[in-house]
Amino acid sequence: MPTRLPETDVVIVGMGAVGGVAALPLARAGLSVIGLEAGTWLTRRDFAPDEIRNNVREWPMAVQKANMEAPTVRATSSSATTRGGHPMMNGVGGTSLHYWAQSWRLNPWDFKVVSETRRRYGASRIPKGSTVEDWPFGLEELEPYYEKIEVEVGVSGQAGNINGTIDRRGNIFEGPRRRGYPMPPLRWTAFLENMAGAARALGWHPFPGPAAINSRSYDSRSACMYHGFCNSGGCHVDAKNSTMVSTIPKALATNNLKIVTRAHVTTIEVDSEGRVAGVNYLVDGTDYFQPAKVVLLASYTYENVRLLHLSTSKPYPDGLSNNHGQVGRHYFSHHTGAGVSALFPFNLGAWYGLPAQGVGVDNWADDNFDHAGIDFIGGGNLWVYSDRRPIGAAGMNTYGRAPSWGSPWKAFIHEHADRSHGSYLQKSTLPYEDNFLDLDPAVKDPLGQPVTRITGQYKENEQKIGAFIQDKMEQWYRAAGAIDVTRGPVGGTMGASTHAYGGARMGDSPETNVVNRWGFSHEAPNLGVLGACTMGTSGARNPTLTAQALAWRTAEYLAKNWKAVARNT
Amino acid sequence: MADDKPLKIFTRRDLLKGAGLVGAAAVASSAHLATPGEASPAAAAQAGRAAAAPVREAFEHLTAAEGDLLESIVARLIPSDALGPGAREARAARYIDRALGGALASSRQAYAAGLAALDRYARISRGKPFLDLSASEQDSVLIDVEAGSATGTPGANFSGSSSQFFAMVLTHTRQGTFGDPYYGGNANFIGWDLLQYPGVRTMVTAADQQAMEKGQLKPSHKSAYDYEGFNKATVSADRQGGHHAD
């Protein structure tokens, strides 16, 4: 029998990028919050500039829970299943500890893909088999929450549209915002200036991207040191604004948040009326039951959906909040493949810097260009950045100019180690009827519970965007002086991704969505779900800022409507 | 555990002291170390200065024969030549040996099988053990192993494709040459200097960035753990690691 703990107001499953945000408005409202985290507390001392540890051996992801329940992957219902990796991190702060920290708002179109496509091009342009819906609200609803996160977490950047006034130093395609960023953007290198100049010469609109990284000291934390180990590494000076250093300390300071580390949540319990009653978790093999008036699910997409699937009960025989069969549906891994890399005849000075320090181009994203004469909807963001480490550099493509070892290779790498560049190309990705998450019938975690299975492949629309964006990226590289360009395949099977959307989609209709417009279950009203698993579209951006803005909004709604949402005991 | 012991970073003085011994031992033991015609006298002298590996140091996980064979392979993958020292001098084989007791433990069997198969293939196809072949003969063996054409040779008995074994050794050789010296390779910062990487720093100012762009930033020549205050990783800190408190 598990130890039954005293009841709390809210239990949050996961103290990562979204759970760590949601805790703050709840704790400030005076609610008692317990945060259950599978990982441990880390500090800046744990984040050595060590490529072997971070990038080769993937220490940030080397934790039992996430690693032991890594999802399996298959392209379609009839193809073979393979083991997938797990890209996320356990720890207080979660993946916000070691992520790239690009902190984008979605563009206005991303909220209205269906209605805007119909209006501009006709209903027939929605790709066949896609289950995409408009969000239940537009950018204007989320705007104040984006601003909240940009200030509370700390985001640097250059605004492009303040109250409708366009500032050409920023992204001219962004939706209107009430205020600029609380910090100026991260600096550029000579190579990034060169890329921006080449984009302008093409008639495009380059801009510095937004980052949850301090460009100057902020909230008593250091400015970025640009030392080059940000990619898959935590920050040694707390300049990366993970929830570990931003919202979680503020929430703890209220004395209303208690965090339990090494807590492995196994199931969510419900009462006879179908309301959630609390969660079961394990710490080092000991069972606990934490009763709560409200449960907020805030682990990663794969774990959130898995916990719903695993929490079967009389009111929910097919999994919690799954009486409409929507848990796991509308899933997609963001299409960030279909890469383009280039070789330059000069050094790029990329040994120091970080992936969030770069130049973005949004001219070919979303519906920022006319799709009347082309055969896909959506597009991609082009992103070039400064990030290089020695083992990675030694593994560079030799562009057919040298073998991969021996003296000729050595001469090649001596000259070219700082001359290659790989772009980051995020593309609109849609949900489809036959891409989904469910439980793997064969693969289990060490507790004997099935892991999540990803069934998904990029369809024609995503592949066409991939090829189109590759053309644009090659054009940009050539304009900046590249002497050789290579391309990756345009997209096949969806792997496990750091940008995993859907599975518990947000929308007004319970027939096609798991949570309502506030992030609470259509079926179990005191269960909230946080994270990109509630997002129905991706845009051409990293999801974290949007997931955090949604988390704050859900938590604020809960605090303001406590009596209506909470379970009475 | 053994993996936690601090790595000795060789000083320039150590290297100068050791250079004569290494040179003599190399000439006496095998012809493959010196590659006449490939290295200029100046480069050979430079390589000698950087040749940090003392010859009388046991491998921890590889057998002596496996270790010698691996040393001679890495010396061809990233050779000592006119451009300077290579993977042998960077102690890449020592890096691999240490890691085979930790993060690369799952590759131990692949090394045992692959090294033995490679040596059998050298004997069958070239008539001599790999160590006794000339540098260019060794390269031709490695080309066959890389291409996979050595795979089906009767008697060699590669388990799986020989190109798989080659790719593994190349990957680990690069880790041992270009990784942080804390893990036992990249001795004397040979790898980082080869790439013209200015080194691990904890702060890079705008002025540092500009100096680097002009080629004027002096290499830092420090391990991450030469900086104060970082909790140290262990050789076994890998994805199976369980908890972060390593």
Side-chain angles (χ1 to χ4, degrees):
Chain A
M1 278 295 287
T3 304
R4 189 185 171 92
L5 300 164
E7 189 179 56
T8 186
D9 290 332
V10 183
V11 61
I12 305 179
V13 179
M15 277 285 107
V18 291
V21 159
L24 182 53
L26 296 174
R28 280 183 181 162
L31 294 166
S32 292
V33 181
I34 290 181
L36 301 177
E37 169 52 46
T40 57
W41 279 99
L42 297 165
T43 74
R44 59 172 83 180
R45 295 171 62 86
D46 293 303
F47 304 133
D50 179 343
E51 185 183 14
I52 285 185
R53 184 196 218 191
N54 292 343
N55 307 91
V56 173
R57 298 184 182 163
E58 300 184 317
W59 172 85
M61 294 81 99
V63 283
Q64 251 164 6
K65 184 178 179 294
N67 216 13
M68 292 298 140
E69 55 191 59
T72 57
V73 174
R74 60 179 184 169
T76 69
S77 295
S78 55
S79 44
T81 302
T82 57
R83 297 300 293 263
H86 201 291
M88 308 308 274
M89 179 163 177
N90 293 144
V92 176
T95 297
S96 71
L97 293 168
H98 80 298
Y99 77 147
W100 286 16
Q102 290 183 278
S103 293
W104 298 90
R105 296 176 172 207
L106 288 176
N107 281 339
W109 183 80
D110 303 322
F111 296 86
K112 299 181 186 303
V113 169
V114 175
S115 55
E116 281 298 293
T117 300
R118 275 196 196 130
R119 184 185 65 79
R120 206 167 162 188
Y121 310 110
S124 66
R125 293 293 298 276
I126 304 292
K128 200 165 159 278
S130 176
T131 58
V132 63
E133 293 182 356
D134 279 359
W135 286 47
F137 46 78
L139 171 65
E140 61 288 348
E141 166 66 22
L142 210 51
E143 201 282 337
Y145 299 97
Y146 276 136
E147 180 186 312
K148 193 67 148 170
I149 301 300
E150 286 165 356
V151 172
E152 292 282 0
V153 165
V155 177
S156 60
Q158 170 64 55
N161 180 345
I162 297 182
N163 295 317
T165 304
I166 301 297
D167 185 336
R168 300 181 82 80
R169 293 172 301 171
N171 180 11
I172 65 167
F173 298 100
E174 78 170 334
R177 44 193 304 141
R178 295 182 303 181
R179 288 170 54 175
Y181 288 96
M183 287 178 274
L186 295 165
R187 74 184 185 220
W188 276 353
T189 66
F191 171 66
L192 295 173
E193 294 282 0
N194 173 33
M195 288 299 293
R200 282 185 211 105
L202 288 167
W204 302 351
H205 300 89
F207 58 92
I213 291 175
N214 296 338
S215 57
R216 56 169 172 75
S217 63
Y218 188 79
D219 256 4
S220 326
R221 294 190 300 278
S222 169
C224 177
M225 294 294 161
Y226 298 89
H227 77 331
F229 292 86
C230 190
N231 187 349
S232 298
C235 185
H236 64 307
V237 295
D238 294 341
K240 186 190 289 189
N241 294 321
S242 70
T243 55
M244 179 187 82
V245 299
S246 58
T247 50
I248 289 173
K250 294 180 212 176
L252 287 171
T254 65
N255 290 320
N256 293 326
L257 169 66
K258 184 186 160 204
I259 295 177
V260 182
T261 59
R262 301 163 68 100
H264 181 147
V265 175
T266 53
T267 44
I268 301 167
E269 294 282 328
V270 298
D271 64 19
S272 56
E273 293 161 16
R275 299 172 79 87
V276 297
V279 303
N280 290 305
Y281 69 93
L282 286 164
V283 177
D284 295 335
T286 305
D287 285 304
Y288 298 91
F289 175 64
Q290 175 61 62
K293 295 185 170 114
V294 170
V295 173
L296 295 182
L297 202 43
S299 53
Y300 191 50
T301 294
Y302 303 124
E303 288 83 47
N304 277 357
V305 170
R306 180 172 182 257
L307 262 183
L308 294 174
H309 276 139
L310 288 176
S311 299
T312 53
S313 60
K314 204 168 169 197
Y316 303 104
D318 296 323
L320 179 56
S321 194
N322 195 27
N323 289 346
H324 292 82
Q326 293 304 302
V327 171
R329 312 295 305 196
H330 320 296
Y331 171 80
F332 54 99
S333 305
H334 207 181
H335 192 9
T336 58
V340 181
S341 303
L343 184 69
F344 287 84
F346 45 80
N347 287 343
L348 307 188
W351 290 114
Y352 303 117
L354 56 155
Q357 172 196 21
V359 185
V361 165
D362 234 14
N363 293 67
W364 311 108
D366 302 322
D367 204 31
N368 297 342
F369 58 105
D370 187 6
H371 288 62
I374 48 184
D375 57 356
F376 60 84
I377 61 168
N381 172 273
L382 315 182
W383 180 250
V384 296
Y385 57 100
S386 186
D387 182 49
R388 196 189 306 291
R389 284 164 300 281
I391 298 171
M396 75 176 279
N397 185 340
T398 57
Y399 294 85
R401 289 159 197 256
S404 59
W405 55 280
S407 282
W409 176 80
K410 201 177 161 200
F412 175 87
I413 205 71
H414 177 67
E415 187 179 351
H416 294 96
D418 187 32
R419 295 184 174 193
S420 70
H421 191 270
S423 50
Y424 187 54
L425 306 170
Q426 303 191 72
K427 294 165 279 285
S428 317
T429 316
L430 299 175
Y432 292 88
E433 191 56 49
D434 50 0
N435 289 342
F436 59 93
L437 303 177
D438 64 358
L439 294 175
D440 193 293
V443 180
K444 295 181 165 43
D445 74 2
L447 298 175
Q449 298 300 320
V451 304
T452 287
R453 174 173 62 180
I454 303 168
T455 302
Q457 60 182 171
Y458 297 107
K459 311 282 186 181
E460 210 178 305
N461 198 68
E462 285 73 38
Q463 292 171 342
K464 284 177 175 166
I465 296 172
F468 175 83
I469 288 301
Q470 286 181 324
D471 286 345
K472 298 299 176 191
M473 192 63 231
E474 172 157 3
Q475 193 183 357
W476 190 10
Y477 274 142
R478 299 275 183 198
I483 52 174
D484 219 333
V485 175
T486 62
R487 299 171 174 214
V490 293
T493 305
M494 285 179 178
S497 172
T498 51
H499 300 189
Y501 302 82
R505 189 168 70 178
M506 170 184 284
D508 287 337
S509 169
E511 301 300 323
T512 52
N513 298 284
V514 173
V515 297
N516 66 22
R517 60 171 57 215
W518 298 106
F520 286 89
S521 164
H522 281 296
E523 300 176 12
N526 61 335
L527 170 69
V529 183
L530 310 178
C533 61
T534 68
M535 293 169 63
T537 62
S538 63
R541 276 102 177 72
N542 313 64
T544 303
L545 188 80
T546 300
Q548 290 180 321
L550 289 168
W552 189 290
R553 182 172 169 274
T554 292
E556 186 186 272
Y557 172 84
L558 174 59
K560 285 184 179 165
N561 298 275
W562 177 252
K563 285 191 175 144
V565 178
R567 174 173 175 265
N568 297 312
T569 50
Chain B
M1 64 195 252
D3 296 324
D4 291 326
K5 73 176 179 243
L7 171 70
K8 183 178 178 192
I9 305 291
F10 288 84
T11 64
R12 186 176 169 78
R13 192 186 151 115
D14 288 333
L15 299 176
L16 287 170
K17 268 196 315 198
L21 176 65
V22 171
V27 170
S29 67
S30 60
H32 70 269
L33 190 73
T35 52
E38 212 174 307
S40 68
Q46 190 191 349
R49 276 202 305 279
V55 288
R56 291 184 201 89
E57 183 185 325
F59 286 90
E60 291 176 18
H61 301 286
L62 294 167
T63 66
E66 287 170 340
D68 288 347
L69 186 52
L70 184 61
E71 286 273 22
S72 65
I73 293 169
V74 305
R76 297 314 307 153
L77 296 181
I78 307 176
S80 178
D81 60 13
L83 210 54
R88 175 196 289 271
E89 294 75 21
R91 298 172 58 86
R94 300 291 168 161
Y95 159 85
I96 295 170
D97 177 57
R98 289 181 73 199
L100 287 175
L104 301 183
S106 61
S107 300
R108 177 65 185 90
Q109 191 47 43
Y111 271 93
L115 289 168
L118 179 139
D119 202 47
R120 285 192 297 267
Y121 178 72
R123 290 169 200 259
I124 292 164
S125 64
R126 308 297 195 275
K128 285 182 194 168
F130 187 82
L131 283 167
D132 294 344
L133 297 174
S134 71
S136 61
E137 286 172 322
Q138 289 183 334
D139 285 354
S140 76
V141 166
L142 290 171
I143 287 167
D144 292 351
V145 173
E146 179 186 30
S149 59
T151 306
T153 303
N157 295 331
F158 278 96
S159 56
S161 157
S162 66
S163 50
Q164 239 176 339
F165 171 69
F166 182 91
M168 176 184 75
V169 176
L170 181 60
T171 297
H172 295 160
T173 300
R174 287 181 183 163
Q175 290 171 11
T177 305
F178 303 108
D180 194 294
Y182 177 72
Y183 295 91
N186 192 11
N188 212 27
F189 304 96
I190 284 171
W192 291 353
D193 286 349
L194 170 60
L195 301 178
Q196 306 184 63
Y197 169 50
V200 168
R201 291 155 202 270
T202 53
M203 176 168 76
V204 179
T205 65
D208 292 338
Q209 175 69 27
Q210 285 156 14
M212 177 174 65
E213 286 165 359
K214 291 181 194 140
Q216 293 167 358
L217 188 64
K218 199 169 163 280
S220 64
H221 282 182
K222 280 187 170 186
S223 158
Y225 302 97
D226 290 336
Y227 292 95
E228 289 297 311
F230 288 120
N231 294 328
K232 290 186 170 62
T234 67
V235 173
S236 61
D238 71 346
R239 294 200 71 152
Q240 306 306 314
H243 299 297
H244 280 118
D246 68 285

